[in-house]
Amino acid sequence: MKPVSFEYFAPTSVADAVSLLQEHGPEAKLLAGGQSLVPLLNMRLARPTAVIDVNRVEGLDYVREDGDALAIGAMTHQRTVERSELVQRVNPLLHAATRLIGHPQIRNRGTVGGSIAHADPAAEYPAVALALDAEMRIVGPNAERLVPAADFFVTYLTTALEPTEMLTEVRVPALPQGTGWSIQEMTRRHGDFALAGAAVTLTMDGGACSDARIVLFGVGATPLRVQQAEERLVGERVDATLMSEVGREIKTSIDEPLADIHATSEYRRNLAGVLTERALVEALERAA
Amino acid sequence: MAFEFPKSLDDLPVSKVKWVGKPVNRVEDPQLVTGKTEFIDNVTLPGMLHCAILHSPHAHARIKSIDMSRAAALPGVVTTLTGEDAERWTRPMYTTPQGWGGYVLATDRVRFVGEPVAAVAATSRYIAEDALELIDVEYEPIDPIVDAFAAAQPDSPKVFEDHDDNIMYQRIFTWGEVEEAFQKADHVYKESFRWNRVGANPLETFGIISEWDIVEDSLTCRGSFQTPSFMAMGRAATFRLPSNKVRFIAQPHGGSFGGKGGGRGTDITLMLSRKAGGRPVKWIEDRMEYLSSGGSQAWDRHYDVSIAVKDDGTVTALRVKLLDDMGATAEGFGATGAVKPMASFTGCYAIPAAEYDLTLVATNKLPVSPYRGMGPPPHNFVLEQMMDIAARDLDLDPAEIRRRNFIPADQFPYIIASGNEYDSGEYEAALDKVLEMAGYEDLRREQEEARAEGRLVGIGVVSTIEPGVFDWNAYTVIGTAGIGIPEGVTVAIDTMGKITARVGFALEGQGQYTVITQLLAEYFGTELEDVRVVHVDNLSAPPNFGPGGSRLGVAITGAVLGAAQRLTEKLTKVAAKMFEVQPEDIELLDGMLRVKKVPESQLSVRNVAAIMLNRSDMLPPDVDPSPQATFAWTAPDRVEPDEQGRVKSYLTAANACHLVMVEIDPGTGKVEILKYYIADDCGTRLNPANVEGMIQGALAQGVGAALLEEYVYDDDGQLLTASFMDYLLPTIHEVPFPEKAALVTPSPFTPLGAKGAGESAIHTTPAAIMCAINDALLPLGVRAKEVPASPNRLWKLIQGASDQ
Ligand SMILES: Cc1cc2nc3c(=O)[nH]c(=O)nc-3n(C[C@H](O)[C@H](O)[C@H](O)COP(=O)(O)OP(=O)(O)OC[C@H]3O[C@@H](n4cnc5c(N)ncnc54)[C@H](O)[C@@H]3O)c2cc1C
């Protein structure tokens, strides 16, 4: 379990990091918290010729309020987000999702940008980013662009990032006052990647649902927004029967999820439905 | 000379016991918690090379060719190794049963994914691993034999061409009038069970540094050896070397649980060192190697079980048919796991007749290794499910059916149907204790209320035996040799009165050095700081085996007390001369040698030892100037088994009763442990804190086996759980901290009455959790028969129930 040999760089600015990416092409890899990349290197599943360690890049470690959104630097440790009172106040869903990532040891090193750029289909951050309409700030050799979450996650471990680009910031709109939220997941053990999960927001207006978001994770190649189910809720008085129906429909409507040794497709479908229903129940309780 | 061992703490030569039986802090811990303990990977020797091993990617294939030339040419690579070297220099691996193995590196065929095929030694592990990618092996894949049932068919393709079939061992043991009991039974219950592969996962994997002195053809190995002297003998045999030229130095290691056999890594590094002109060669098994090709896997079992029961719940006979999937070879003593259940076949129960229909079958998977508990945990799982099945049908409470079948406390020592002798026990008292701690009736009420709400809540109550003090005689049926396992210690007192104990085994985590320290400080009336325990290599140590089979605590206690007594005899002669009395007139008490009835005529042990070393003029003629003594202990009265394999094998029978309450989430199938209680009786507790640690750790492994851990192979024989991403060990979040009670029924057979307690809760926990799960599922009319009870499996069962 030793990596193949590679060249190591430790730039101190985004511009230097990006020009190193340009210089070394697709064979280069950025190293953030290393919680996903280093195991891949050691198992020789990733074989980059250059590793560009961006831990010394300045100015990417922050959580701040920016208008109606939270702006989070890509190199902000997950632990920082977890401990941020600001995040807890402005976006309790993001906060709750953070606590579900691995263990404190993992969150001490793992970064917000690393998790989103890695785009594991079972990861919490990508799901929450999609549920909350987050935007990714991406810096490339010539330009900077903002990509909405809906366009960012392309497929399994693949995002809209070009090989020469770096993710620098994640902008997460604040959860509107009175919006209920919940994130539910099923893991074999505390801290494991989810076998399946659901992140939900629910806005109620005068007894009826005015807006709903349902995003599943762990059941497809990317986080999966289930618009059909959202539409079943909007305009309705949400009650136990409806939430249970929505859960049941999800079990049959989503594309066949991947099977692995911990979960068959059938079981994952079931989890998606069960967890969605539970998330809706909790979100409804929280909705003002 | 027959030795009289102190039978209880009261027999120790002190007016008030100060150390033994107390939860003293472990002497091992300061070094461990400050990071000073020298594990093998911390050791670097001058000129040392690093080994990397190429493992087979195929479950079954012919090796058409191996070309090492590109690897050998890589700068930094010093030498390479293939099966040809192994054929030239070694004997085939020792196996039990015999004849089911090959060489440590594959020669013509590979038989499991992960089998070592070639190796390199280079100046760094990085380079060594780079070199592996340059080895060109041409394989011709053969259909793998993965399913145990298919493998056991007479017309199955074969794992070994030179055998008629894949049956490594097959035998039916019959004990008592089994057939008759089944004919006369009021009820017969039958069920099939599946226990999937689990195994040992110590924090530290196997590691070694080997040196082959090419001038005198002698070997020195340093490593994380569980049984260094035994390993050394094995190497002498493997390499046809005089045994006194093989030196094994065990480093302290981070656990073993049976997983540190390490034979292949040892022989491979030795041959590499030989080829590299004697340079030391280090190999640290990485976690993926450990999981896919090391000592990580055990107990891959298919059971058919039946019991004969009377109307009142009395069990009159037990039949167990076991198909045990051994993997590709019989190396590494994995087969012992199928034999050990004979030492506690009928559990805590007075079941007069039993039958064991045992088949060991070869498949193209990693050979199984020993694992803590050595085989009974799956057996206990099936036996305890059967007890509950009978209880349900007869409308008896699970606690009650057990009570009715327990061996009564006044029947000990008790010989069970399969031949082993239980030394002592109070099974009903342990059960009562657990029921009382748990508030059993209230718990049952709580369960009723939960059931009324549609919740799946269940309670398991299980009692088991931990056979302690392993002896080779138990395993002669599968071809092991010998009776007895000497465990020795040399105890020395120096001029300053300080005591040193020299043993052949290294630190592994169980705290035996602490127990030795307690015993010697007690015996000679010193402080704990006055005693030091050191590991010495196999050529310096008295006969020894090391930890294994829940044996060392008892064995080393016997050895220490024997050596202390021998040493005291010497000291007594010297003191007698000083006081001009006969040795019989001298006694040892509280660290003083004194003339009986004349308390003011006394000398300290320290002074007498100093006199022996420094005043030859004061020595009696028959005493040499050496305040040291060696003693090796082995279990008394062991003999060969009879024609049905019956034998007094394990000297002690500890008992535990567990009560666990679980809840299953019907939506996800996930099990939550709500409550857990344990009453444990392992006789005299030499260090109660050590015992608690053993229980807690073994409980964790039991939770893992019941709910999480499973080595999964696909139909091609590929391992799908080669990392801790997929092989799920329980973490601190999954393991409950039960309320624990200690009962003490001393063993009449051991020094101080202690029983083997090193395997502990792993015997009980999986059975108890599975009983609780099945109790929870009862209202649905379905039964969990497969371990681990993963969420997916339980969900499927629950689905099946609601589909009906
Ligand atoms: C035991 C364990 C349990 C875990 N459990 C969970 C869990 O439950 N949920 C979960 O979501 N995650 C989990 N993780 C993963 C963890 O959250 C990682 O932190 C995360 O996936 C990657 O973040 P990182 O900062 O460590 O990135 P790295 O590992 O350094 O990088 C990951 C990938 O992202 C790329 N990358 C990193 N930063 C950038 C950037 N700024 N711009 C462009 N590309 C970039 C890298 O090149 C690499 O390809 C777990 C990890 C471990 C080891």
Side-chain angles (χ1 to χ4, degrees), chain A residues 227-234 236 242 245-246 249:
Chain A
Q227 261 158 311
Q228 204 186 334
E230 293 168 3
E231 283 158 17
R232 292 275 280 114
L233 294 163
V234 176
E236 302 290 327
L242 179 58
E245 269 174 39
V246 168
E249 283 166 21

Side-chain angles (χ1 to χ4, degrees), chain B residues 498-512:
Chain B
K498 302 296 177 196
I499 302 171
T500 305
R502 296 194 287 268
V503 295
F505 61 91
L507 295 186
E508 192 175 271
Q510 302 93 329
Q512 287 104 351

Side-chain angles (χ1 to χ4, degrees), chain A residues 21 28-40 52 54-55 60 74-78 97 100-103 106-107 109-120 122-126 161 165-169 185 187 191-194, chain B residues 725:
Chain A
L21 280 174
K29 270 275 169 205
L30 295 180
L31 172 69
Q35 298 303 293
S36 296
L37 182 58
V38 170
L40 291 171
I52 302 162
V54 285
N55 283 280
L60 291 183
M75 289 303 292
T76 308
H77 289 130
Q78 293 150 6
L100 296 175
I101 302 174
H103 306 269
I106 307 297
R107 301 194 291 270
R109 302 217 62 130
T111 63
V112 174
S115 176
I116 299 230
H118 191 60
D120 190 296
E124 289 82 5
Y125 274 164
L161 280 164
E165 288 180 324
M166 174 172 177
L167 174 65
T168 56
E169 185 183 271
E185 63 177 40
T187 59
D192 279 345
F193 272 108
Chain B
M725 259 305 255

Side-chain angles (χ1 to χ4, degrees), chain B residues 26-242:
Chain B
R26 305 197 324 164
V27 301
E28 295 90 341
D29 288 347
Q31 293 267 306
L32 282 168
V33 300
T34 54
K36 300 263 190 235
T37 305
E38 199 178 53
F39 296 103
I40 184 64
D41 204 15
N42 298 335
V43 180
T44 299
L45 299 182
M48 188 173 83
L49 300 173
H50 297 265
C51 160
I53 298 173
L54 183 73
H55 301 277
S56 168
H58 298 285
H60 201 185
R62 248 180 294 280
I63 299 177
K64 296 185 73 181
S65 66
I66 305 182
D67 182 354
M68 301 295 286
S69 56
R70 289 197 305 138
L74 184 74
V77 171
V78 174
T79 190
T80 67
L81 199 72
T82 67
E84 273 181 29
D85 300 291
E87 265 179 312
R88 184 165 67 246
W89 283 338
T90 68
R91 293 200 175 126
M93 284 179 291
Y94 177 76
T95 66
T96 48
Q98 265 182 28
W100 288 91
Y103 291 91
V104 294
L105 288 168
T107 50
D108 54 335
R109 253 186 199 231
V110 287
R111 294 188 171 84
F112 61 94
V113 167
E115 181 167 356
V117 172
V120 300
T123 49
S124 81
R125 176 74 177 240
Y126 292 84
I127 295 173
E129 291 194 17
D130 290 345
L132 296 186
E133 298 187 347
L134 302 174
I135 299 174
D136 299 300
V137 187
E138 207 185 331
Y139 294 102
E140 186 183 296
I142 310 171
D143 278 345
I145 303 146
V146 181
D147 178 73
F149 287 106
Q153 296 303 314
D155 57 349
S156 166
K158 289 185 286 182
V159 175
F160 282 90
E161 285 301 312
D162 53 342
H163 282 281
D164 295 337
D165 51 32
N166 296 315
I167 307 298
M168 287 182 174
Y169 184 85
Q170 192 158 43
R171 188 165 167 189
I172 299 175
F173 298 93
T174 305
W175 306 304
E177 302 304 324
V178 181
E179 191 49 49
E180 194 190 322
F182 272 92
Q183 269 164 20
K184 289 190 179 158
D186 296 324
H187 310 269
V188 171
Y189 302 99
K190 286 187 198 309
E191 191 53 279
S192 301
F193 299 96
R194 171 81 172 113
W195 177 290
N196 287 288
R197 272 186 185 223
V198 296
N201 265 293
L203 214 53
E204 180 207 33
T205 54
F206 181 74
I208 187 164
I209 303 172
S210 291
E211 288 175 273
W212 188 303
D213 183 325
I214 55 168
V215 177
E216 63 163 17
D217 262 340
S218 68
L219 319 180
T220 305
C221 293
R222 292 171 179 77
S224 55
F225 314 120
Q226 182 172 347
T227 54
S229 296
F230 189 68
M231 288 278 283
M233 280 306 138
R235 287 353 347 122
T238 299
F239 292 105
R240 303 180 184 90
L241 287 174

Side-chain angles (χ1 to χ4, degrees), chain A residues 56-78:
Chain A
R56 290 186 189 79
V57 171
E58 284 179 28
L60 291 183
D61 175 10
Y62 56 84
V63 181
R64 54 180 177 246
E65 227 167 346
D66 186 359
D68 257 358
L70 281 175
I72 305 175
M75 289 303 292
T76 308
H77 289 130
Q78 293 150 6

Side-chain angles (χ1 to χ4, degrees), chain A residues 1-4 43-44 47 103 186-190 192-193 261-264 266-267 270-271 274 278, chain B residues 125-126 129-130 133 286 288 665 667-668 670 707-708 720-721 724 726 728-729 733-734 790-792 795:
Chain A
M1 265 210 258
K2 303 286 181 212
V4 293
M43 294 178 198
R44 299 192 171 208
R47 307 169 69 101
H103 306 269
M186 167 65 190
T187 59
R188 293 288 310 267
R189 297 172 303 182
H190 180 95
D192 279 345
F193 272 108
I261 57 165
H262 302 298
T264 59
E266 189 198 9
Y267 178 58
N270 163 72
L271 288 178
V274 167
R278 288 179 187 177
Chain B
R125 176 74 177 240
Y126 292 84
E129 291 194 17
D130 290 345
E133 298 187 347
D286 69 39
M288 291 181 80
D665 178 339
T668 63
K670 191 166 174 170
L707 299 175
L708 294 162
L720 304 180
T721 50
F724 279 165
D726 288 312
L728 306 179
L729 290 175
H733 299 284
E734 283 72 47
S790 69
N792 200 153
W795 173 77

Side-chain angles (χ1 to χ4, degrees), chain A residues 7-178:
Chain A
E7 266 190 283
Y8 173 85
F9 301 95
T12 53
S13 71
V14 173
D16 286 353
V18 169
S19 67
L20 280 164
L21 280 174
Q22 255 187 305
E23 201 177 308
H24 294 274
E27 299 306 308
K29 270 275 169 205
L30 295 180
L31 172 69
Q35 298 303 293
S36 296
L37 182 58
V38 170
L40 291 171
L41 290 175
N42 284 348
M43 294 178 198
R44 299 192 171 208
L45 294 170
R47 307 169 69 101
T49 54
V51 169
I52 302 162
D53 179 350
V54 285
N55 283 280
R56 290 186 189 79
V57 171
E58 284 179 28
L60 291 183
D61 175 10
Y62 56 84
V63 181
R64 54 180 177 246
E65 227 167 346
D66 186 359
D68 257 358
L70 281 175
I72 305 175
M75 289 303 292
T76 308
H77 289 130
Q78 293 150 6
R79 191 75 166 155
T80 309
V81 177
E82 181 185 355
R83 288 181 166 165
S84 158
E85 279 173 29
L86 177 63
V87 174
Q88 204 164 351
R89 179 162 50 79
V90 176
N91 205 321
L93 173 56
L94 179 64
H95 182 257
T98 307
R99 293 187 55 94
L100 296 175
I101 302 174
H103 306 269
Q105 294 90 327
I106 307 297
R107 301 194 291 270
N108 273 334
R109 302 217 62 130
T111 63
V112 174
S115 176
I116 299 230
H118 191 60
D120 190 296
E124 289 82 5
Y125 274 164
V128 167
L130 188 60
L132 294 171
D133 284 330
E135 292 177 301
M136 317 313 153
R137 189 183 299 281
I138 293 172
V139 176
N142 309 312
E144 185 179 304
R145 56 188 183 125
L146 267 180
V147 180
D151 300 330
F152 185 79
F153 301 105
V154 176
T155 182
Y156 187 75
L157 302 182
T158 308
T159 67
L161 280 164
E162 297 293 331
T164 53
E165 288 180 324
M166 174 172 177
L167 174 65
T168 56
E169 185 183 271
V170 180
R171 295 177 53 82
V172 190
L175 207 59
Q177 274 298 320

